[in-house]
Amino acid sequence: QAQLVESGGGAVQAGGSLRLSCAASGYTRSWMGWFRQAPGKEREGVAAIYISDDHTYYGDSVKGRFTISQDNAKNTLYLQMNSLKPEDTAVYYCAADWGPVRYPLAPAEYNFWGPGTQVTVSL
């Protein structure tokens, strides 16, 4: 089964940048994504990537600021976050699934999850 571990979370000031990493192991994946959840809020899709062709999807709130990418040789997923805002504060989760995935940014589509890493953006 897939195993995912996130790293790179931390505290930054608004306007700053942060890069998250997700080390993956296990079965061959079709989709991977980044999701986040703030206290009292629903888990939301941030970005997703189709492993085979690197096609990417982004949530409206992060378009133009975040970039998802992969290093397939190292089985690592990345999320480069720029121009961070306080509203980006959340626990960020890496997720994976064999697929097929109809809605890449829908959390329910994914069956394998990492434990999460905290991202805190201050004013």
Side-chain angles (χ1 to χ4, degrees), residues 39-50:
K41 296 184 178 180
E42 295 286 337
R43 182 169 47 182
E44 66 172 334
V46 175
I49 186 168
Y50 185 55

Side-chain angles (χ1 to χ4, degrees), residues 29-103:
R29 298 158 296 280
S30 294
W31 291 87
M32 294 190 73
W34 288 99
F35 300 80
R36 66 188 184 187
Q37 187 166 23
K41 296 184 178 180
E42 295 286 337
R43 182 169 47 182
E44 66 172 334
V46 175
I49 186 168
Y50 185 55
I51 301 301
S52 296
D53 64 4
D54 280 333
H55 195 87
T56 57
Y57 299 81
Y58 293 95
D60 290 339
S61 64
V62 306
K63 287 181 179 178
R65 299 189 298 123
F66 291 10
T67 302
I68 187 172
S69 62
Q70 64 173 330
D71 184 337
N72 197 261
K74 294 186 176 182
N75 292 316
T76 302
L77 182 74
Y78 301 98
L79 183 67
Q80 178 66 46
M81 303 184 292
N82 298 325
S83 301
L84 284 162
K85 305 174 181 179
E87 66 186 68
D88 294 319
T89 295
V91 175
Y92 282 70
Y93 299 92
C94 175
D97 200 87
W98 170 243
V101 171
R102 295 180 62 190
Y103 307 103

